[in-house]
Amino acid sequence: MPPLQRHRLVWLSAAAWARWHDRAPAAERPLLDAWRDADRPLVVARPTQPLPAGALALGLPAPARFDRRRVALVAQRDEVVRAGHFPSLHEVAMAQAWTGAAALAQQLSLCARVRVYGSHGWQHLTGERYVHPGSDLDLLVELAHADQAPAVIDGLQAADLPMRLDGELVLPDGRAVPWREWAALLQGRVAQVLVKSMHGVSLCDATALQAVPA
């Protein structure tokens, strides 16, 4: 299995679920059992502390019926049964009959892959209630190279959507930048942007974003 970056979805073995159930506080067990029984994924996260070799930091953001609880878990790579992705913007737009989002998906498909994560992504995946009136539409825009960012940002800024548009532009090496910060960099309003990766968070200028890490 290739390296797993932030925002990838993973499905885990029965043994991993059993181990977590035994170690979890009693208040979390109904949530873990429901997730396991429905064969739902967890999301790969950036570790907040050093992990043993071969371990992954994972997150389970619960829906409204579980009080939107956020559970952090750790699994071994060999406990991952399969991996996947959040739904595409096109899938979500078609399901919700969002004409503006469908048009944006078609426009951006010419230069990038666009996925929906956050509350709208989880609601589409699970059928559970995540979205509330103040929910943003969080997009994960996977670029082939940094030169595509200006065209993508132009499309995002011009989009006609009924909710605020948020999310990240992701480079092929997994580095991710909030798209609004990248827009500010292109406009000269900031000299550096916050860059997230599996290895941490750093500040980069435009030249560093273009560079391919060794």
Side-chain angles (χ1 to χ4, degrees), residues 58-133:
L58 304 173
L60 193 171
R65 71 182 175 105
F66 287 107
D67 300 321
R68 305 187 190 277
R69 182 190 300 268
R70 291 183 175 271
V71 179
L73 303 165
V74 175
Q76 294 295 315
R77 282 293 298 263
D78 60 12
E79 293 178 317
V80 174
V81 175
R82 68 184 190 277
H85 297 276
F86 277 104
S88 70
L89 176 59
H90 177 77
E91 291 176 74
V92 176
M94 291 297 99
Q96 298 295 327
W98 291 338
T99 55
L104 177 63
Q106 182 175 8
Q107 177 186 353
L108 296 185
S109 69
L110 300 175
C111 58
R113 287 180 297 197
V114 188
R115 306 187 189 278
V116 180
Y117 67 109
S119 57
H120 286 281
W122 283 108
Q123 185 158 300
H124 182 89
L125 279 171
T126 66
E128 297 267 9
R129 184 163 63 89
Y130 282 85
V131 176
H132 56 79

Side-chain angles (χ1 to χ4, degrees), residues 91-188:
E91 291 176 74
V92 176
M94 291 297 99
Q96 298 295 327
W98 291 338
T99 55
L104 177 63
Q106 182 175 8
Q107 177 186 353
L108 296 185
S109 69
L110 300 175
C111 58
R113 287 180 297 197
V114 188
R115 306 187 189 278
V116 180
Y117 67 109
S119 57
H120 286 281
W122 283 108
Q123 185 158 300
H124 182 89
L125 279 171
T126 66
E128 297 267 9
R129 184 163 63 89
Y130 282 85
V131 176
H132 56 79
S135 293
D136 295 339
L137 180 62
D138 296 306
L139 299 184
L140 200 66
V141 184
E142 300 172 351
L143 306 177
H145 50 77
D147 290 343
Q148 294 173 320
V152 167
I153 289 170
D154 285 347
L156 295 173
Q157 291 178 324
D160 181 18
L161 300 176
M163 74 290 288
R164 183 177 184 273
L165 193 56
D166 207 351
E168 299 177 347
L169 306 187
V170 186
L171 293 166
D173 56 34
R175 291 179 298 161
V177 179
W179 78 265
R180 292 179 183 279
E181 291 194 23
W182 202 321
L185 181 70
L186 292 175
Q187 294 162 6

